[in-house]
Amino acid sequence: MLLNQINSPADLKKLTVSEMETLAAEIRAFLIEKLSKTGGHLAPNLGVVELTLALHYYYDSPKDKFIFDVGHQSYVHKILTGRKDRFDTLRKYKGLCGFVKMSESEHDVWEAGHSSTSLSAAMGMAIARDLKGETNKIVALIGDGALTGGMALEAMNHIGHEGKNLTVILNDNEMSIAPNVGALHNYLSKIRTDRHYNKVKEEFEHFLKKIPAIGGTLAKTAERLKDSLKYLVVSGVWFEELGFTYFGPVDGHNLNQLLDTLKQADKANGPVLIHVVTVKGKGYTPAEEDSQAWHGGGPYKIESGQFVKAVGPQMYTEVFGNTLIELAERDERIVAVTPAMPSGSGLLKFADKFPNRMIDVGIAEQHAATLCAALALEGMKPVFAVYSTFMQRAYDQIIHDICRQNTNVVFAIDRAGFVGADGETHQGVYDIAFMRSIPNMVLMMPKDENELRHMMKTAIDYDGGPIAVRYPRLNGVGVKMDDVLKPIPIGTWETVRDGEKFAIVAAGAPMLELAAQTAELLKPEGIQPRIVNARFLKPLDEQMLLELYEGGYHMLTLEEGALHGGFGSAVLEFYAERGLYDAKVKPIGIPDYFVEHGSPKEQRQEVGLTPERIVTELKSMLPRRRQRA
């Protein structure tokens, strides 16, 4: 196998184009086999095999820098840069990261897990290169879906204005995770269908230059005429108007075309954009037919294309989606808004049922947040369904447009807490800290899937301003669902297990399960802690907190969120504000560092969210006996 001979980009450069075509087939087979066991982003990587081969063949990495947008399509890059022998550990604890990781290789020069960052990073590196007097190439790869993100457009505007030498590879597969939406997507579709444009342009230039005596001069003075031809053939010519030299569309699975285009682009001055058209999931029929499902998933059976799924209760995401439909049938104000995540956020059924009340804005979280604020001001009840990690991107809009104006926006925050294999770029552990600090915000987290349903009812009925419910990327606990939905009184907790002397105040299902496990460990010692479901993270249940204080409880707060500024901090602040400095409170949560990929169980183990650690912490709160003199 050729793949066995490739351990660095230098090995790749020894091959012929024909041999690289064989290598491409071997890489696809390798990815399909390896990811069937580990899971991962199969479809995006199958789509960029030839493109990645061409880049490493033509350029000189790591001197020339490749900047991957998001980084989930970097598996082929990892294979070509000496990491193929570690693919059995992909996305596993202490194993190969599913995104670009600088600590793994000198060929990884930029880390990202969120969309639309590569162009800004490329511009920064190009400026630094020029200031240092260096001559290396800067190549940014970005998908057509990522162009719906405002940050990418901001960067394109700056790049075109400054005219720096850098190359942008636009990987156009008509998808982000879900099918792309918006005017830019329609524009790219128009370019894809006008494949004769470059041929017409080249023939026109060739014709001018062949005119005896005046051909060269005429070619120079015909620029305006040429521009008119561009507008005639491809309406807009948007990229060139922004200051880029445009090449394409190019068949992203034709190595000869790719290499020829890279060679042509290398001769241009200023920024270049190469429009590459690829097929997401290419080479594996199930992934080609449903690239949305195969964007990123778990293990699967290669022959049948069936994902290997654990049998269990509904996931919180599915419960959310079904409950939203139930509520929307009774309330015509409800509108679902998502930033390119209709499937991941559990809204596909909602979209089928209420197509006019389902708004997918593309990868544009900032726009989505402000859109929701305006919908609410006009009397609608927008439900902003978003992953915790992606909601971070709309922080300014949440403060400025939603909370400051006290608009009735509902946040459905999915992937709250540890997310497992996606790792540090996707952990949903910061939203408690940044959401609870914003005035007018109400923040909830359910103990189980049934309580999630009641919290959705609470959120829709609430007209006092913004309200959020956060839930994990997990299956529910399997409780019976109530037929009738009832709102929960704002700011109220509940005791789910009576006890004395100690109280474990836990936020969310995983932490309540941890509290229950801790209680079982303490049983043989005759210690029975009270377990409290702190279902409102803001506002707190002040009455119960005072009751716990007056009862002399040693309290331990549990949260699968950042410890600094989180729920435990809120409890400490509550007692400090009232001068109750002798309150016995120990917050337990995620310490001040980024937790990398692995299973949620391994991640909790790493940070000490374990029953054994909780037992130790509770016992340490007891007064120490004085030793006799």
Side-chain angles (χ1 to χ4, degrees), residues 147 196 278 452 531 611 626:
L147 279 186
H196 61 289
T278 61
L452 171 59
I531 299 177
R626 293 184 180 178

Side-chain angles (χ1 to χ4, degrees), residues 33 83 222 339 342 410 427 522 548 594 624:
E33 192 274 325
R83 285 170 274 181
V410 176
Q427 304 288 23
L522 288 168
L548 291 169
F594 292 105
R624 294 183 180 178

Side-chain angles (χ1 to χ4, degrees), residues 186-197 234 249 275:
N186 294 334
Y187 174 75
L188 291 173
S189 297
K190 186 179 292 186
I191 294 178
R192 280 193 297 272
T193 58
D194 283 305
R195 294 176 184 272
H196 61 289
Y197 161 60
V234 181
H275 183 183

Side-chain angles (χ1 to χ4, degrees), residues 10 39 82 131 165 196 207 217 235 273 372 397 455 460 464 575 626:
L131 289 172
N165 288 332
H196 61 289
F207 167 74
T217 304
S235 176
L273 187 139
C372 285
Q397 287 70 27
M455 285 185 173
I460 296 299
Y575 290 122
R626 293 184 180 178

Side-chain angles (χ1 to χ4, degrees), residues 29 32-34 36-37 284 286 300-306:
I32 292 167
E33 192 274 325
K34 292 295 183 182
S36 71
K37 298 179 176 65
Y284 185 53
Y300 53 89
K301 297 177 182 178
I302 297 175
E303 296 78 13
S304 65
Q306 291 181 327

Side-chain angles (χ1 to χ4, degrees), residues 186-302:
N186 294 334
Y187 174 75
L188 291 173
S189 297
K190 186 179 292 186
I191 294 178
R192 280 193 297 272
T193 58
D194 283 305
R195 294 176 184 272
H196 61 289
Y197 161 60
N198 275 328
K199 182 179 179 184
V200 173
K201 185 176 74 169
E202 288 166 8
E203 290 176 352
F204 179 68
E205 291 173 349
H206 183 67
F207 167 74
L208 287 178
K209 290 177 180 177
K210 289 193 75 172
I211 299 175
I214 63 169
T217 304
L218 189 58
K220 275 186 177 181
T221 58
E223 285 302 314
R224 290 180 66 184
L225 180 58
K226 226 167 68 178
D227 285 342
S228 298
L229 179 66
K230 293 175 193 175
Y231 282 104
L232 177 67
V233 179
V234 181
S235 176
V237 195
W238 187 70
F239 298 113
E240 295 206 3
E241 291 298 331
L242 279 175
F244 289 77
T245 300
Y246 173 84
F247 291 88
V250 180
D251 181 353
H253 303 296
N254 185 315
L255 278 164
N256 280 312
Q257 276 191 33
L258 287 167
L259 291 169
D260 286 345
T261 305
L262 291 175
K263 189 179 298 183
Q264 290 179 51
D266 212 22
K267 297 174 183 176
N269 289 319
V272 169
L273 187 139
I274 302 174
H275 183 183
V276 178
V277 179
T278 61
V279 175
K280 194 172 182 180
K282 184 173 178 62
Y284 185 53
T285 301
E288 286 191 38
E289 292 178 347
D290 189 357
S291 60
Q292 183 171 344
W294 288 86
H295 174 81
Y300 53 89
K301 297 177 182 178
I302 297 175

